[in-house]
Amino acid sequence: MSVVISSSQLRAQVSAEGAELIRLQDEQGRDWLWDGDPAFWTGRSPLLFPIVGRVRDDRIRVNGSEYELPRHGFARTSRFEIKEINPSQCRFQLRSNEATLSRYPFPFQLDVIYAVENATLSVAAGVTNTGPSGMPVSFGFHPAFRWPLPYGAPRDAHEIWFEQEEAAPIRRPLEGLIKREPEPSPVQGRTLALRDDLFGADALVFDQLKSRSVEYGARGGASLRVDFPDMPHLGIWTKPGAGFICLEPWQGHADPQDFAGDFSDKPGTVSLQPGETRHFAITVTVKPPVLQSV
């Protein structure tokens, strides 16, 4: 089952499976979101919870016990309950159950609200600790946008423009874990020119990120802006030759190669006290080309 919400400029479709955004169109019916072509990747915009990326041996360690937890967690493969629907907004909810507790031994409630206003889609997730003790958690967004975007700009003209200069070294995954050795940033000033060979060694992981906003598109052509004011990390990923680029604001990231400690000590996790709610949010603003008057 899926839900459609819309404004005068935007139409979004969200599936109850994973509370995942599966379509984003402008008022002309142009698609801005990847279509999930299984020849490359079936995802479109999964939600990453309660981990981002992979943990060592696909297991977390909690108070001396181990729990099997797959890459990016289980929210993306869980069916959410649809709690509210109106023409421009919808809310989904996932609560802990026997299956989740066998993988992540913490009672929780996850609420996800999608809303559209004019040319902006907002996605707000609230994670609540419903248990009796502290709860470590990570959360991430994983939207895959068309590469190239609509309106006809060539693929090799697309860039990502960061809010600030990003000179700090980046990280790379190796077999899903973050490599010990950093790499020089491929960002020139505030600009990352997109090309397939950037991703031959997997994703770019910005774990020392200054920016809380990026814009993606072609100069003089269509673009979109992703704002993530409270998310400290960013992943950028595609499969070489695929028609998408993922811009992924995260709280947390995969295990570093040399990490084998308790999940509560995992770099990037945050701890919620009993009854506490932590909010994670992004907005995506679609920006068609500005037509020049003659």
Side-chain angles (χ1 to χ4, degrees):
M1 181 179 180
S2 64
V3 173
V4 174
I5 56 174
S6 62
S7 68
S8 60
Q9 300 178 50
L10 217 52
R11 179 181 183 273
Q13 183 177 358
V14 186
S15 173
E17 188 71 26
E20 182 176 5
L21 178 69
I22 58 174
R23 199 156 198 185
L24 185 65
Q25 295 179 308
D26 61 23
E27 71 274 18
Q28 301 298 321
R30 297 180 177 91
D31 285 301
W32 294 69
L33 196 72
W34 169 243
D35 63 2
D37 181 353
F40 289 98
W41 182 55
T42 57
R44 302 188 188 196
S45 186
L47 301 177
L48 316 182
F49 170 87
I51 59 171
V52 173
R54 186 182 171 216
V55 291
R56 178 182 297 277
D57 301 322
D58 296 318
R59 292 179 177 273
I60 58 171
R61 285 150 286 280
V62 178
N63 297 327
S65 298
E66 292 193 349
Y67 300 84
E68 186 174 352
L69 193 57
R71 185 190 299 256
H72 292 324
F74 48 72
R76 62 188 180 134
T77 57
S78 298
R79 180 166 291 273
F80 283 63
E81 184 179 356
I82 301 172
K83 303 296 287 188
E84 296 177 15
I85 305 174
N86 67 48
S88 62
Q89 182 174 298
C90 56
R91 178 167 67 93
F92 296 80
Q93 187 179 92
L94 178 67
R95 296 181 64 89
S96 54
N97 53 49
E98 185 176 342
T100 69
L101 291 170
S102 70
R103 294 184 165 188
Y104 174 68
F106 301 98
F108 69 86
Q109 178 176 302
L110 170 58
D111 291 278
V112 184
I113 299 173
Y114 288 85
V116 288
E117 183 177 3
N118 300 322
T120 297
L121 168 73
S122 62
V123 190
V127 179
T128 302
N129 178 0
T130 59
S133 58
M135 182 179 83
V137 69
S138 288
F139 191 91
F141 299 93
H142 199 321
F145 301 107
R146 300 274 177 154
W147 181 19
L149 287 173
Y151 291 94
R155 192 170 184 270
D156 61 6
H158 285 62
E159 301 174 326
I160 295 171
W161 307 296
F162 288 79
E163 176 189 34
Q164 299 188 44
E165 294 188 1
E166 298 292 348
I170 65 163
R171 302 284 179 166
R172 291 276 196 177
L174 179 64
E175 297 180 349
L177 304 182
I178 299 297
K179 292 171 61 176
R180 297 181 184 87
E181 304 81 11
E183 295 185 8
S185 174
V187 180
Q188 301 296 313
R190 295 174 49 243
T191 300
L192 176 65
L194 291 175
R195 58 184 194 275
D196 283 317
D197 63 4
L198 277 176
F199 305 97
D202 212 324
L204 312 179
V205 177
F206 293 81
D207 64 343
Q208 301 179 61
L209 188 71
K210 292 182 177 180
S211 301
R212 293 297 181 268
S213 177
V214 295
E215 189 164 344
Y216 155 63
R219 295 182 187 274
S223 66
L224 54 81
R225 190 180 74 244
V226 181
D227 293 283
F228 43 98
D230 300 313
M231 309 294 283
H233 310 121
L234 182 71
I236 302 177
W237 173 74
T238 190
K239 290 188 174 181
F244 68 85
I245 187 75
C246 290
L247 306 177
E248 308 177 40
W250 298 336
Q251 172 64 66
H253 47 71
D255 275 3
Q257 282 183 315
D258 54 1
F259 179 76
D262 192 90
F263 184 57
S264 61
D265 297 322
K266 173 179 161 61
T269 60
V270 293
S271 181
L272 305 186
Q273 296 307 304
E276 183 181 359
T277 299
R278 181 71 176 254
H279 296 281
F280 308 94
I282 63 170
T283 62
V284 178
T285 301
V286 166
K287 303 172 73 174
V290 177
L291 298 178
Q292 302 294 326
S293 57
V294 178

